[in-house]
């Protein structure tokens, strides 16, 4: 599978860009999956549901299946967080996996950047960042796209991964 990342500091526009990229790339006939890293304790299940009760009772994994979707929840129970490679290996094959976060991993990335967030640009210090999607003009050694130029960013990513 081909992988490409969207990275940036908090409030840089990563999630919105990810959402727009999926919506832009899938109608072009490519299958896309996403992988997002969270720094906080996250729970996709709701207290009181049967699947939640299974996990709280001690299940290592709970697979929830319906006619619309399948969800697998795995409890780490003190085990280390899985590596990016281990997480990617769990995904079904697709044309492209877009990865949000994982800024220190070796895959190629586009940095989302909003000047108003007040954070430094990562691209000058991170060789895995191949382009920047920004809300302001920048003078950097990589291509700079308007943060809202979803089609242009998608074209760039697809070219980079050979699709």
């Amino acid at each position: 599978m081909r992988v490409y990342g969207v990275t940036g500091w908090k409030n840089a526009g990563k999630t919105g860009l990810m959402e727009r990229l999926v919506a832009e790339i899938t109608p072009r006939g490519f299958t896309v999956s996403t992988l997002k890293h969270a720094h906080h304790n996250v729970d996709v299940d709701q207290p009181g549901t049967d699947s939640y009760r299974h996990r709280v009772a001690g299940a290592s994994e709970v697979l929830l299946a319906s006619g619309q979707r399948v969800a697998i929840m795995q409890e780490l129970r003190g085990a280390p967080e899985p590596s990016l490679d281990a997480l990617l290996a769990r995904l079904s094959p697709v044309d492209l996996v877009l990865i949000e976060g994982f800024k220190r991993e070796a895959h190629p990335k586009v940095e989302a950047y909003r000047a108003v967030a007040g954070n430094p640009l990562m691209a000058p210090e991170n060789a895995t960042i191949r382009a920047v999607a920004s809300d302001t003009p920048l003078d950097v050694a990589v291509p700079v796209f308007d943060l809202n130029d979803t089609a242009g960013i998608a074209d760039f990513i697809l070219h980079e991964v050979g699709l």
Side-chain angles (χ1 to χ4, degrees), residues 12 17 110-114 131-135 143-147 153:
L17 179 55
V110 169
E111 178 179 358
Y113 179 81
R114 282 194 180 131
V132 177
S134 175
D135 65 351
V144 178
F145 294 89
D146 183 287
L147 186 57
I153 298 165

Side-chain angles (χ1 to χ4, degrees), residues 70-84:
V70 173
I72 299 174
M73 293 164 279
Q74 181 182 38
E75 290 296 313
L76 296 179
R77 305 220 188 272
E81 181 178 344
S83 69
L84 178 58

Side-chain angles (χ1 to χ4, degrees), residues 6-125:
V6 173
T7 194
W9 301 111
K10 183 177 181 177
N11 297 319
K14 298 179 301 292
T15 301
L17 179 55
M18 288 277 292
E19 181 181 10
R20 293 190 312 274
L21 286 170
V22 172
E24 175 70 29
I25 294 170
T26 55
R28 296 183 186 195
F30 298 108
T31 55
V32 178
S33 289
T34 64
L35 196 161
K36 177 179 174 31
H37 187 262
H39 292 282
H40 52 279
N41 185 13
V42 30
D43 194 344
V44 297
D45 210 356
Q46 300 297 314
T49 62
D50 293 349
S51 53
Y52 183 91
R53 292 171 59 191
H54 296 178
R55 286 190 308 116
V56 170
S60 295
E61 284 189 333
V62 175
L63 192 149
L64 179 61
S66 75
Q68 292 77 37
R69 69 190 48 85
V70 173
I72 299 174
M73 293 164 279
Q74 181 182 38
E75 290 296 313
L76 296 179
R77 305 220 188 272
E81 181 178 344
S83 69
L84 178 58
D85 287 340
L87 294 169
L88 288 168
R90 294 188 71 150
L91 292 175
S92 298
V94 292
D95 296 315
L96 177 65
V97 178
L98 291 174
I99 301 170
E100 183 177 342
F102 291 96
K103 64 174 100 7
R104 291 175 183 82
E105 297 292 332
H107 61 281
K109 303 166 194 70
V110 169
E111 178 179 358
Y113 179 81
R114 282 194 180 131
V116 70
N119 294 307
L121 195 61
M122 287 191 275
E125 307 299 323

